[in-house]
Amino acid sequence: MKAVLLALTLPSLLSIALPRACPASWASQLASAPGYSGLISANQPNTVEAGSFTTMLSYPSGVAVGPHHTVYVVDTDNMAVLKVSPTGSLSSLASTGLAYPTAIAVDSSGTVYVADAGTRSIKKINLQGEVSVLAANAFTYPAGVAVATNGTVYVVDAGGGPAAGVVKKISITGRISTLASGFNKPSGVAVAADGTVYVADTDNNSIQKISPDGTSTVIATEGLNKPHGVAVDVSGALYITDTYNNSVRKISPAGGAVSLAQSFAYPSGIAVDAAGTVYVTDTGHAALKKISPDGDVSTLADSTSATATNIHLGKN
């Protein structure tokens, strides 16, 4: 089977040698996208059909926490958004209308936002699972998404080359503007309650802070190795997936950094709930992990195969 080239997938962003796949129906479209040049094979190991699907948590990338402690996961290979209950029950929110989704955010009403790299757009999913386009034709490779309390959506666009990464924002009226630029394949974004935006500037091995006026400041770099995800809690503490170090770090509001948990395999997405529980997509293990406020790590969902729209993937 002929291989198709795609540049800024998570494996090429992070040099992770994990198998990638996509359906032939849109592989050629991705191959012709500007700036794309990385390996992706034109097949799909897991089928995804409307109404019913067979799933293995195959390549979990993005994660977000919504109302009522529901956790949402983007499974890139399955081109699906999944809901995970606090007990580990899994159900499909959307399994059509997406093409290579990479990241996810959810607002206080439960509306979900997805960075859909395959269509170079931001998709919006309502409570009924209906998928619509929020913004398109303004991105090269949307790699991360976050939503502020006022409804403004922030997107990190990895761009097509060094220093081509940008952070864009989408107003509640749909206006798209650039907040900051000059990043090197950024892949994660979070927004604090005060409007401060944090970016995982992956290929610069740093975390940057962006003020509302667009001023960028490096706040963490020492020891980081291809950080992919970033989240912020209600106190202002930051949580980072330090992907090449297979660990999760925490930076306190005062600036002190500690290792929160280790022994992951290419962790990518990260989210934190109001109680301080941290959720991590442990991509190399095809699992969703959670870290308690005490630092205990457990598996909430993994690659156990299941069928139908309501499924249980198991938990520790």
Side-chain angles (χ1 to χ4, degrees):
M1 184 174 293
K2 184 178 179 181
V4 181
L5 297 181
L6 175 70
L8 297 174
T9 65
L10 176 60
S12 62
L13 270 171
L14 306 178
S15 305
I16 296 173
L18 295 178
R20 307 302 306 123
C22 72
S25 61
W26 53 267
S28 59
Q29 175 185 351
L30 289 175
S32 64
Y36 287 180
S37 63
L39 185 62
I40 186 166
S41 57
N43 61 63
Q44 178 66 22
N46 300 312
T47 60
V48 180
E49 299 176 355
S52 177
F53 63 94
T54 298
T55 184
M56 297 176 65
L57 196 55
S58 176
Y59 201 87
S61 50
V63 61
V65 182
H68 312 298
H69 307 289
T70 299
V71 179
Y72 297 82
V73 176
V74 162
D75 191 335
T76 302
D77 276 356
N78 280 326
M79 295 180 292
V81 173
L82 308 175
K83 292 195 299 182
V84 187
S85 76
T87 61
S89 294
L90 183 71
S91 60
S92 171
L93 177 65
S95 57
T96 59
L98 300 173
Y100 214 80
T102 55
I104 189 169
V106 58
D107 67 20
S108 59
S109 72
T111 299
V112 169
Y113 303 85
V114 178
D116 194 29
T119 59
R120 289 174 281 169
S121 65
I122 302 301
K123 300 287 181 67
K124 184 176 178 179
I125 307 174
N126 65 18
L127 297 176
Q128 291 72 45
E130 297 167 334
V131 181
S132 60
V133 177
L134 177 67
N137 304 316
F139 310 102
T140 298
Y141 190 94
V145 63
V147 58
T149 55
N150 66 359
T152 301
V153 175
Y154 294 87
V155 180
V156 285
D157 187 346
V166 300
V167 177
K168 296 189 177 184
K169 63 179 183 178
I170 307 168
S171 72
I172 58 174
T173 62
R175 180 177 179 271
I176 303 171
S177 59
T178 297
L179 178 64
S181 59
F183 302 99
N184 198 0
K185 295 182 182 176
S187 50
V189 62
V191 56
D194 65 358
T196 301
V197 175
Y198 298 91
V199 175
D201 194 7
T202 303
D203 272 14
N204 282 330
N205 296 312
S206 67
I207 303 299
Q208 298 214 29
K209 173 182 175 180
I210 308 174
S211 63
D213 67 0
T215 303
S216 299
T217 307
V218 175
I219 61 170
T221 186
E222 184 176 357
L224 291 175
N225 197 349
K226 306 295 186 183
H228 182 79
V230 61
V232 58
D233 69 15
V234 292
S235 74
L238 295 181
Y239 300 83
I240 302 159
T241 49
D242 191 5
T243 303
Y244 262 25
N245 286 325
N246 295 313
S247 64
V248 173
R249 292 194 182 191
K250 179 180 179 179
I251 301 176
S252 72
V258 297
S259 176
L260 187 64
Q262 299 177 340
S263 299
F264 297 95
Y266 310 114
S268 53
I270 191 165
V272 58
D273 66 19
T277 300
V278 177
Y279 299 87
V280 179
T281 48
D282 192 6
T283 306
H285 287 141
L288 174 65
K289 303 285 181 70
K290 67 177 182 178
I291 309 170
S292 73
D294 295 328
D296 296 325
V297 181
S298 60
T299 299
L300 184 60
D302 58 22
S303 58
T304 303
S305 183
T307 305
T309 55
N310 247 333
I311 38 191
H312 184 76
L313 293 187
K315 67 184 184 70
N316 291 354

